[in-house]
Amino acid sequence: DAGVIQSPRHEVTEMGQEVTLRCKPISGHNSLFWYRQTMMRGLELLIYFNNNVPIDDSGMPEDRFSAKMPNASFSTLKIQPSEPRDSAVYFCASSFEGSPDYGYTFGSGTRLTVV
Amino acid sequence: AQSVTQLDSHVSVSEGTPVLLRCNYSSSYSPSLFWYVQHPNKGLQLLLKYTSAATLVKGINGFEAEFKKSETSFHLTKPSAHMSDAAEYFCVVSEGSSASKIIFGSGTRLSIRP
């Protein structure tokens, strides 16, 4: 398995532009998580999906952020419009909930810079 | 409510000496506990996990951790540090058998002196 795949690895965009981050979870995993990591706040859970359904989006900072999971093998995190304070590394992770041997597998992250 | 505290934000050891990264947790239920490592500009990699089996858990790269319920601790250790161990380490707690709600510690940066 190639692991959790995120794209792009790096994104630099101007303030006000729309940004879309993509994630392909591990095949067979039924839970998907989006995290944001900054020096100031560490790792923050933004949203997680179970069986493609958003379960908890309380970590999404504001309405500019939205996430979708149209099928079991793909998810997007969109920021519109982007702001400089959105600059961070965004991680996607997947797991198989319900298994006694579960664990979270993280992607390599997308480093977002909004200028 | 569950929580996790990593007692040291930065630990520095000499190469070849033991490593101890401390983690204390709080949980209302039987927790599952994890240690993740993050090398610079990389994603998080699972080092080891405790899910109510053996209390001494062995992970990758020679790391191990011991679950001590009486002390609510899950400290990470390694007998002999290697330069490649320099990274950020996160202790993670999850309640019950659900992967849905996990709490990350604030992280401990491990530096290795030559």
Side-chain angles (χ1 to χ4, degrees):
Chain A
D1 198 316
V4 175
I5 300 173
Q6 290 186 247
S7 63
R9 289 296 305 274
H10 303 273
E11 177 80 36
V12 180
T13 190
E14 292 185 346
M15 183 174 61
Q17 296 298 306
E18 177 181 295
V19 175
T20 300
L21 312 181
R22 297 173 177 78
C23 176
K24 176 178 167 56
I26 288 179
S27 177
H29 281 187
N30 59 6
S31 292
L32 183 140
F33 307 80
W34 281 101
Y35 284 89
R36 178 171 67 176
Q37 186 178 40
T38 61
M39 289 291 292
M40 292 295 293
R41 295 186 297 271
L43 272 162
E44 303 172 278
L45 176 64
L46 300 177
I47 185 171
Y48 83 89
F49 296 84
N50 182 251
N51 293 322
N52 311 338
V53 176
I55 303 299
D56 183 356
D57 65 354
S58 59
M60 296 285 262
E62 46 197 276
D63 292 345
R64 298 184 296 107
F65 286 69
S66 62
K68 293 182 180 179
M69 193 165 186
N71 56 62
S73 59
F74 184 65
S75 176
T76 59
L77 177 67
K78 186 178 293 185
I79 308 173
Q80 166 64 19
S82 57
E83 297 182 3
R85 60 194 170 114
D86 301 330
S87 298
V89 181
Y90 291 81
F91 288 104
C92 176
S94 70
S95 70
F96 184 73
E97 184 164 345
S99 166
D101 193 32
Y102 70 87
Y104 303 88
T105 302
F106 283 80
S108 298
T110 295
R111 183 174 296 275
L112 173 65
T113 303
V114 183
V115 297
Chain B
Q2 55 182 348
S3 66
V4 59
T5 302
Q6 291 186 242
L7 298 161
D8 307 293
S9 60
H10 183 213
V11 170
S12 179
V13 301
S14 297
E15 188 175 20
T17 64
V19 175
L20 169 64
L21 305 184
R22 298 183 293 166
C23 173
N24 285 96
Y25 70 92
S26 170
S27 176
S28 304
Y29 305 98
S30 298
S32 295
L33 295 155
F34 309 79
W35 276 99
Y36 282 84
V37 60
Q38 184 180 28
H39 287 93
N41 300 313
K42 300 287 186 183
L44 284 81
Q45 180 185 17
L46 180 65
L47 267 181
L48 50 79
K49 59 188 175 186
Y50 166 78
T51 54
S52 75
T55 56
L56 182 61
V57 182
K58 294 188 184 298
I60 62 173
N61 301 334
F63 284 94
E64 62 182 38
E66 186 171 8
F67 173 70
K68 292 187 176 180
K69 187 175 181 178
S70 60
E71 299 176 11
T72 61
S73 69
F74 190 59
H75 301 334
L76 181 71
T77 60
K78 182 174 181 177
S80 176
H82 192 273
M83 294 300 292
S84 61
D85 295 328
E88 188 93 12
Y89 291 79
F90 294 92
C91 182
V92 178
V93 63
S94 174
E95 288 192 335
S97 61
S98 172
S100 307
K101 292 285 190 178
I102 61 171
I103 303 293
F104 278 82
S106 54
T108 298
R109 183 164 60 90
L110 176 63
S111 299
I112 311 296
R113 301 186 298 271

